[in-house]
Each structure stands twice: as C-alpha cells, then as structure tokens.
C-alpha cells in the first residue's frame, strides 16, 4: 500500500492507494457505481456500495470512502483540520465534465477555503504509456484549451520517458498522428483552476502501465489480454467523529 506525505501529515486522517484485495484497506468501505461522470455525492449512512451512480464521494463522517481505478486518476482530498474528506475517480470524461470543481465546491459549501485543502493524486497511467488519437487532441484543444492558453498543453507528439524505471516496456505507438497524454498533469491544471496551489498537490510518479505489474492497468490488459484483471483501491477515512 502506498500513501501520500501531505495527507499523512494531517492528524485524524488515514488513507491508502492499494490493490483491491489488500488486507490493509478498511472494511465496509463505500464506493460509488462509477460511470465516468462529474457527479460528487455525500456519503449517507446505509448507502449500499456500488449502487449509487457517481464518480466522487464526500463525507464528514468517520466512514471510509474510496474510488477504484485501473489507469484513471484516483484523487483524494482532505481538509487540513481533518473534518472533511473526498475521493474522486478522474477519467478524462469526468475531468472534462467538471468533477474536480464539483469536489472542491463540496468543501467550499461547508466553509472550507481552498487553501485549507490537501490533494493526493495516486498511481495512474502516465504520458509515457497513454497514447491518444489525433481526433482526441483536436476535440480536447477545442474544449479545454483555455486551461493552457499561456502554457504547455498536457500532451506531446514525442513519447516521453517513464518517470520511474519501468518493469514493463511502455507501449509503442499504434496510430499515426497520435500524441501522448499527461492525465495527471491535466488533473493538476483543473485543481489549480479551482484555486488550489501546486504546493498543495502531491502526485504519484507511478505509472500503472509500466512501473510494475502489481498495478492495475486497463490499457496494459487490452494489449495483453491474458493478464488477470485487477483494480487499484484508493481510500480515505476520518479516524474519529
């Protein structure tokens, strides 16, 4: 199980990024029925896991909440006073749809300012392994280009090197005119657009595709269909009421 330093420094908060069968993850953890949406719900007592449609969950109660991923961004958010936490599933559709702003707004609605938030982005597919089509880039630039109007877009034509020494070879380009997309970089842009400073955000360097076979990667499994299906479980919990 992996943890983020910035969340680990908040008293009364526990969290982790782990495999779905990790014995260290809490029991009775709540997850939404994820749909690649921008919806963020508040946890309710008695809610049955994997039945409520949403891609983010927020709570001030001492009940563990989580998201499951297999390349997408697992985003965990906590208030520095330890009173509110959220878990967000960030695929490109949900991110583009506004799920980050929706999650941050949940804290604002409770009077928690953005400078009082700490965010951890867990293991996800990195640009070394995330090839996207020319059409994807055209559409994304048209819809989201305002985010990098005076900066660098979150993709490159050349395949970048892995951030960590890979145990699995990154994939080769499979289509002409494609690009290599920085999903976690895009997530950071959205967090900053919501008012969160870069120093409040911790981003895992782990690439779910190439860093290690122990991490779940939907894309790696599509390239290697014989690989066993698994998931990453990203959870956060308040320890006291």
């Amino acid at each position: 199980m992996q943890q983020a330093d910035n969340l680990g420094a908040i008293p009364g908060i526990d969290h982790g990024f782990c495999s779905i069968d990790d014995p260290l993850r809490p029991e009775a953890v709540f997850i939404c029925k994820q749909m690649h949406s921008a919806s963020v719900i508040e946890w309710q007592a008695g809610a049955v896991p994997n039945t409520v449609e949403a891609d983010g969950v927020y709570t001030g109660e001492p009940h563990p909440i989580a998201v499951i991923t297999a390349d997408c961004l697992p985003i965990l958010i906590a208030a520095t006073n330890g009173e509110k936490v959220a878990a967000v599933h960030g695929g490109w559709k949900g991110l583009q749809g506004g799920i980050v702003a929706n999650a941050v707004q949940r804290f604002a609605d409770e009077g928690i300012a953005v400078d009082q938030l700490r965010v951890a982005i867990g293991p996800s597919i990195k640009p070394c392994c995330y090839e996207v089509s020319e059409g994807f880039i055209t559409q994304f630039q048209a819809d989201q280009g305002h985010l990098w109007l005076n900066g660098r877009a979150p993709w490159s034509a050349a395949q970048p090197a892995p951030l960590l020494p890979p145990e699995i070879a990154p994939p080769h380009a499979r289509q002409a005119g494609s690009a290599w997309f920085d999903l976690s970089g895009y997530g950071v842009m959205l967090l900053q657009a919501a008012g969160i400073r870069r120093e409040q955000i911790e981003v895992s360097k782990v690439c779910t595709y190439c860093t290690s076979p122990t991490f779940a990667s939907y894309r790696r499994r599509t390239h290697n269909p014989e690989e066993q299906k698994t998931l990453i479980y990203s959870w956060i919990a308040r320890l006291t009421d």
Side-chain angles (χ1 to χ4, degrees):
M1 185 174 73
Q2 295 194 349
Q3 292 189 306
D5 291 339
N6 63 348
L7 297 185
I10 301 175
I13 296 294
D14 199 6
H15 75 287
F17 302 99
C18 60
S19 64
I20 197 167
D21 56 355
D22 194 306
L24 294 179
R25 74 172 177 86
E27 295 182 5
V29 68
F30 177 81
I31 59 172
C32 302
K33 184 177 182 180
Q34 297 173 190
M35 304 176 61
H36 290 274
S37 70
S39 177
V40 180
I41 62 166
E42 185 168 5
W43 175 80
Q44 301 290 333
V48 178
N50 204 30
T51 63
V52 184
E53 294 181 351
D55 284 82
V57 57
Y58 164 91
T59 189
E61 300 298 322
H63 188 93
I65 56 175
V67 290
I68 51 176
T69 57
D71 278 335
C72 295
L73 300 186
I75 306 172
L76 302 180
I77 310 173
T80 53
N81 63 9
E83 292 185 357
K84 305 289 181 180
V85 296
V88 174
H89 164 238
W92 68 263
K93 290 181 181 178
L95 293 172
Q96 185 179 16
I99 195 167
V100 164
N102 291 345
V104 172
Q105 187 61 46
R106 285 283 185 173
F107 292 88
D109 290 343
E110 298 292 332
I112 300 171
V114 288
D115 63 353
Q116 298 301 306
L117 300 180
R118 297 296 179 267
V119 183
I121 297 177
S124 66
I125 196 165
K126 300 300 179 186
C128 52
C129 298
Y130 192 9
E131 184 188 17
V132 294
S133 70
E134 186 175 11
F136 176 97
I137 291 301
T138 299
Q139 179 271 328
F140 229 76
Q141 177 62 41
D143 189 79
Q144 299 282 280
H146 60 280
L147 290 170
W148 47 87
L149 188 62
N150 298 311
R152 185 176 178 179
W155 63 77
S156 60
Q159 184 176 9
L163 297 175
L164 297 174
E167 292 185 21
I168 297 170
H172 58 80
R174 284 170 161 79
Q175 43 192 323
S178 61
W180 300 88
F181 193 74
D182 185 356
L183 187 64
S184 55
Y186 173 50
V188 168
M189 288 180 179
L190 291 171
L191 287 162
Q192 291 179 303
I196 297 175
R197 302 186 309 276
R198 181 62 183 86
E199 56 266 30
Q200 296 171 245
I201 308 165
E202 186 170 329
V203 183
S204 171
K205 292 183 178 180
V206 168
C207 175
T208 46
Y209 190 111
C210 72
T211 298
S212 168
T214 61
F215 293 102
S217 173
Y218 174 81
R219 179 158 295 211
R220 189 179 67 226
R221 195 164 58 84
T222 63
H223 295 166
N224 303 279
E226 71 284 357
E227 184 175 306
Q228 183 178 356
K229 182 179 180 180
T230 185
L231 294 166
I232 292 174
Y233 216 95
S234 303
W235 60 272
I236 190 166
R238 296 186 63 236
L239 298 179
T240 58
D241 197 352

